Amino acid sequence: MSSIAAPVPLPAPRRAWLTDLPVLLVAVVWGASYLAAKGITATHTVVAVLVLRFAVVLPVLVAAGWRRLRALSAAQWRGAAVLGLILAGIFLLETYGVVHTSATNAGLIISLTMILTPLAEAAVTRTRPPRAFLAAAALSVAGVVLLTQGGGFTAPSAGDLLMLLAAVARTVHVLAMSRIKAVQSADSLSLTTVQLGGAVAVFALLAALPGTGDSPWKVALGFGPREWAGLLFLSVFCTLFAFFVQMWAVRRTSPSRVSLLLGTEPLWAAAAGIALAGDRPGAIGLAGAALVLAGTAWGRRAAEREDAA
């Protein structure tokens, strides 16, 4: 990992939504991914599903960006490979975590990335995060707490610990994308391809080990139309689209701002549960959703003022 990169110049406030909206859409599809993942994954199929999820989109990426992949320097390959290893860890932690805990707990705990990222960024840059930004993030987390109370907060479990580790890994991933100097000059498509390729290589190696569950081929043969639809949603939208946008956005705005927008993920998870699974959050849950939106809007304004200073 290289020395700290120079601050990324940000767009004018009126144009900031051109960056923010795609990131917010990533939060939407990630929120919906909880239901999709639960619908096609069990404890003995986690690694196999991850292999299939990444392998489905990887050939398309390689074919589309072959020339630019060949143009990457050795340092860029190494930087993207490091990001791929971190990404593999995130997905292993999150997928096992979701299997072993409730979606309510998972959404609450993963939202701690909103707090961890600005704190970690401040530690790396040796600066104090704006009080308004931290207050906005805290308001969003408080909203997540109220939002998830509608589904009932269960006692902490091994799955909860895995989700907490996933939140830490997400923080590391966002910061690494903005701090590894070698990847700053590379195009997003090539970086996304190498990153996903590194992750699927890790999953494939794990799948070959004894005791890691069913093989990818066995799981694929057992899938019906519903399972394949869920897998394609996870592959195309929650993986390919999401990480391409994240790679693109983090180099045009601050890691804390990206993390704050992605932190609305539990809100969209609740919306998917209400629309598709019949969940009813109640008045407290709706109040929490309003706090999440208010905290996110406040945090964006605080980030804009800090970046403009």
Side-chain angles (χ1 to χ4, degrees):
M1 186 174 296
S2 68
S3 58
I4 296 173
V8 179
L10 296 179
R14 291 184 179 180
R15 299 182 61 189
W17 278 110
L18 295 178
T19 300
D20 291 349
L21 281 176
V23 178
L24 192 60
L25 185 55
V26 169
V28 174
V29 298
W30 275 357
S33 70
Y34 286 103
L35 285 178
K38 276 187 171 293
I40 65 174
T41 311
T43 302
H44 63 284
T45 64
V46 167
V47 175
V49 168
L50 287 173
V51 171
L52 295 172
R53 173 176 178 173
F54 282 67
V56 164
V57 297
L58 192 58
V60 177
L61 285 173
V62 172
W66 178 247
R67 290 184 178 180
R68 281 177 282 184
L69 279 173
R70 295 179 62 185
L72 290 178
S73 67
Q76 289 170 333
W77 275 94
R78 288 193 297 269
V82 170
L83 294 177
L85 291 176
I86 300 172
L87 179 62
I90 292 172
F91 273 91
L92 285 169
L93 291 167
E94 284 189 356
T95 309
Y96 275 112
V98 168
V99 169
H100 292 290
T101 191
S102 66
T104 296
N105 283 28
L108 171 59
I109 296 169
I110 204 67
S111 71
L112 294 178
T113 306
M114 289 186 292
I115 294 293
L116 296 175
T117 299
L119 291 177
E121 185 181 15
V124 170
T125 60
R126 297 183 180 180
T127 59
R128 178 176 297 180
R131 292 182 179 179
F133 188 93
L134 290 178
L139 182 65
S140 294
V141 172
V144 170
V145 173
L146 293 179
L147 178 65
T148 56
Q149 287 304 298
F153 185 65
T154 61
S157 65
D160 297 331
L161 177 59
L162 291 174
M163 294 306 300
L164 178 59
L165 293 175
V168 174
R170 278 195 185 192
T171 298
V172 173
H173 188 255
V174 172
L175 290 178
M177 282 191 292
S178 67
R179 301 297 171 186
I180 298 179
K181 187 176 181 180
V183 304
Q184 297 302 312
S185 59
D187 67 283
S188 296
L189 177 60
S190 297
L191 292 179
T192 301
T193 303
V194 177
Q195 188 178 186
L196 297 186
V200 78
V202 172
F203 301 144
L205 288 174
L206 291 176
L209 298 176
T212 55
D214 293 343
S215 70
W217 301 114
K218 181 178 179 180
V219 172
L221 289 174
F223 274 178
R226 181 178 179 181
E227 289 78 12
W228 277 109
L231 181 67
L232 290 175
F233 173 75
L234 291 172
S235 298
V236 176
F237 292 100
C238 302
T239 303
L240 176 60
F241 168 76
F243 283 94
F244 181 83
V245 168
Q246 194 176 7
M247 290 289 296
W248 169 80
V250 80
R251 292 186 289 173
R252 288 163 174 79
T253 184
S254 69
S256 294
R257 185 163 168 167
V258 170
S259 181
L260 190 69
L261 290 167
L262 293 180
T264 62
E265 176 184 335
L267 174 64
W268 308 114
I274 293 171
L276 302 177
D279 295 342
R280 295 293 180 266
I284 293 178
L286 293 176
L291 287 181
V292 172
L293 292 175
T296 302
W298 183 17
R300 287 186 65 256
R301 290 194 297 269
E304 286 174 357
R305 288 194 298 268
E306 178 69 13
D307 294 327

